[in-house]
Amino acid sequence: ETGVTQTPRHLVMGMTNKKSLKCEQHLGHNAMYWYKQSAKKPLELMFVYSLEERVENNSVPSRFSPECPNSSHLFLHLHTLQPEDSALYLCASSQSTEPGSAFFGQGTRLTVV
Amino acid sequence: GQNIDQPTEMTATEGAIVQINCTYQTSGFNGLFWYQQHAGEAPTFLSYNVLDGLEEKGRFSSFLSRSKGYSYLLLKELQMKDSASYLCAVRDRDYQLIWGAGTKLIIKP
């Protein structure tokens, strides 16, 4: 238990489906992150929220849409995904001044069919 | 461009010592991190180096040479539970984390 909880742990969706990934942190952190982890590739930072404001969007396709309703919750809304979007999606949180020592959730293993 | 290089996979024997290297080329430097990630689990923070030298934490040690753009993670008295991927990450001048692809460590009895 890292203090960061992601649901669901596994998700299989068709290319026409709409689904959402959820992340919740219980650590009192004020920054939250979405990462994509593909096999044998570096972690790719997708979005950063600091104090509930989106501060970074690393050229992520619009089929991924983040939402941060408060400092404890983060969502990633998915629609019309492609098979190459299949990956492990990791949520992390930190104090905004210390992004390097972030705490990660266990991730959602997404498969797009 | 910025990049982090580390071996894709390493194999070691239970009870032995293994050194996982990481070299980096980044725009500035504000610290280097090592994370451990067991299969299907979250990455967990292992160590942080910002000054040259060796940081020791139990069976694990991490070394940094900023002039060489080089770090290593040293694992002693290897245990089967140490089988995992080890991720190296560098914080650049903008305080963004640049990640390596990870080294998968396989421990054999």
Side-chain angles (χ1 to χ4, degrees), chain A residues 13-75:
Chain A
M13 59 186 288
M15 289 189 283
T16 58
N17 291 159
K18 287 186 180 181
K19 297 285 184 182
S20 295
L21 310 184
K22 179 182 176 183
C23 176
E24 185 174 358
Q25 59 100 358
H26 315 278
L27 301 168
H29 289 159
N30 56 19
M32 297 185 77
Y33 311 80
W34 278 118
Y35 281 93
K36 177 182 178 182
Q37 188 175 36
S38 302
K40 299 184 180 180
K41 290 186 177 180
L43 280 170
E44 299 173 48
L45 180 62
M46 299 174 73
F47 301 105
V48 180
Y49 277 83
S50 179
L51 299 172
E52 300 160 38
E53 297 276 337
R54 189 192 309 183
V55 296
E56 188 159 340
N57 174 351
N58 282 346
S59 302
V60 178
S62 59
R63 57 186 183 269
F64 295 91
S65 175
E67 179 189 1
C68 187
N70 55 61
S71 60
S72 299
H73 293 86
L74 186 65
F75 295 89

Side-chain angles (χ1 to χ4, degrees), chain A residues 9 35 37 42 56 100 102 104-105, chain B residues 33 35 37 40 42 91 96 99-100:
Chain A
R9 292 292 307 276
Y35 281 93
Q37 188 175 36
E56 188 159 340
F104 284 83
Chain B
F33 300 82
Y35 280 80
Q37 185 178 23
R91 193 161 59 189
Q96 301 303 308
W99 292 87

